[in-house]
């Protein structure tokens, strides 16, 4: 079946602009996660959704970052007033309720100029 | 505090040989899961293997096995019969099963290069 998909694959923006990154999880997966991976590092947790609600947003670095999942499937990560330090690969993962294994999408590479 | 430590930034292995990638972790939670992911140059994180903290047997998945030493807090990945396609970054990760522990912590990764 189809895996986790993310769009766009690459996004280049200017400092101060607003961006939206989209994640489409595996069908039937109720849990959805966002991670950020900086160059040369492992992914860092941002936010976790169980269904439509953000069950844990403790990893969001500041209030410029926000994510939604209005219908419990597709999720959008929103970044306001982007900064150069936001440049990274943003990864989305999903898992079945009650299981630990997370399946990742290909990521969106965000570059803030 | 760093919870996952991968001490080998880079490893080389000859094709068809076995290789061990090291991972140590730190937790006070008695219930946790350990994972290994492969990240090729394309960027996608590919799930390889999972070990639960209460599992008595070491996990195996095809050519991958996890050498789980609970007392040492070690979860090394063993890849047998290396193939050129195994060249990639490998990440060890842990998820603690505690109240509101929803994040998976990753190590810094090990870059494996398989030589022909």
């Amino acid at each position: 079946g189809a895996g986790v998909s993310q769009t766009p694959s690459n996004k280049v923006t200017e400092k101060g602009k607003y961006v939206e990154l989209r994640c489409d999880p595996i069908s039937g997966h109720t849990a959805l996660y966002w991670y950020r991976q900086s160059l040369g590092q492992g992914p860092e947790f941002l936010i976790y959704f169980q269904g439509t609600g953000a069950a844990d947003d403790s990893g969001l670095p500041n209030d410029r970052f926000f994510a939604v999942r209005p219908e419990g499937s597709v999720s959008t990560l929103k970044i306001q007033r982007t900064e150069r330090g936001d440049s990274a690969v943003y990864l989305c993962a999903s898992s079945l309720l009650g299981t630990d294994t997370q399946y990742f999408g290909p990521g969106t590479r965000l570059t803030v100029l | 505090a760093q919870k996952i430590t991968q001490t080998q930034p880079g490893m080389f292995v000859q094709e068809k040989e076995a290789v061990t990638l090291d991972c140590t972790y730190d937790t006070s939670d008695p219930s946790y899961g350990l994972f290994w992911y492969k990240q090729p140059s394309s960027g996608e994180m590919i799930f390889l293997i999972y070990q639960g903290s209460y599992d008595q047997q070491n996990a195996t998945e095809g050519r991958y096995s996890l050498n789980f030493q609970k007392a040492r807090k070690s979860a090394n990945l063993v890849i047998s019969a290396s193939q050129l396609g195994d060249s990639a970054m490998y990440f060890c990760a842990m998820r603690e099963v505690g109240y509101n522990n929803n994040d998976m912590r990753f190590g810094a990764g090990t870059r494996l290069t398989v030589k022909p």
Side-chain angles (χ1 to χ4, degrees):
Chain A
V4 178
S5 62
Q6 292 186 247
T7 55
S9 55
N10 279 283
K11 176 71 177 177
V12 180
T13 191
E14 293 180 343
K15 181 173 177 294
K17 299 288 188 183
Y18 167 84
V19 296
E20 289 189 352
L21 311 179
R22 176 189 167 109
C23 171
D24 199 342
I26 293 172
S27 178
H29 282 196
T30 57
L32 185 146
Y33 306 79
W34 283 99
Y35 292 84
R36 178 169 70 175
Q37 186 176 21
S38 300
L39 193 63
Q41 298 181 20
E44 292 179 290
F45 169 79
L46 294 177
I47 187 169
Y48 157 64
F49 286 90
Q50 183 57 256
T52 59
D56 183 355
D57 63 359
S58 62
L60 295 178
N62 51 59
D63 61 6
R64 295 188 297 106
F65 289 75
F66 188 71
V68 295
R69 194 186 185 198
E71 297 178 357
S73 178
V74 171
S75 175
T76 304
L77 178 65
K78 309 181 179 194
I79 310 174
Q80 298 177 318
R81 304 183 304 279
T82 52
E83 300 177 357
R84 292 195 180 89
D86 298 336
S87 296
V89 175
Y90 289 81
L91 294 164
C92 176
S94 70
S95 68
L96 276 170
L97 180 66
T99 67
D100 282 332
T101 301
Q102 297 178 22
Y103 297 91
F104 284 78
T108 294
R109 181 175 298 278
L110 175 66
T111 303
V112 182
L113 301 177
Chain B
Q2 183 67 30
K3 295 221 173 188
I4 299 288
T5 303
Q6 294 181 254
T7 58
Q8 306 152 315
M11 287 283 286
F12 290 87
V13 64
Q14 204 68 37
E15 193 180 7
K16 300 179 186 176
E17 299 280 314
V19 63
T20 298
L21 306 184
D22 294 343
C23 173
T24 57
Y25 59 92
D26 182 30
T27 181
S28 56
D29 194 328
S31 183
Y32 52 89
L34 297 158
F35 304 79
W36 278 91
Y37 284 86
K38 172 184 177 181
Q39 189 175 44
S41 56
S42 60
E44 188 164 352
M45 297 283 284
I46 301 168
F47 167 72
L48 296 178
I49 196 165
Y50 165 81
Q51 179 87 41
S53 59
Y54 292 117
D55 294 343
Q56 296 296 315
Q57 305 276 353
N58 284 347
T60 60
E61 289 286 349
R63 294 186 299 111
Y64 304 108
S65 60
L66 200 152
N67 184 2
F68 181 45
Q69 298 187 43
K70 193 170 182 177
R72 296 181 59 190
K73 294 187 177 177
S74 166
N76 298 341
L77 177 70
V78 180
I79 305 175
S80 62
S82 297
Q83 301 172 357
L84 295 177
D86 294 336
S87 293
M89 283 290 290
Y90 287 81
F91 291 96
C92 179
M94 175 179 66
R95 182 174 177 180
E96 296 162 313
V97 183
Y99 176 73
N100 213 26
N101 280 336
N102 299 296
D103 60 332
M104 190 149 62
R105 302 290 184 99
F106 286 80
T110 295
R111 181 171 297 282
L112 177 67
T113 303
V114 181
K115 299 192 286 187

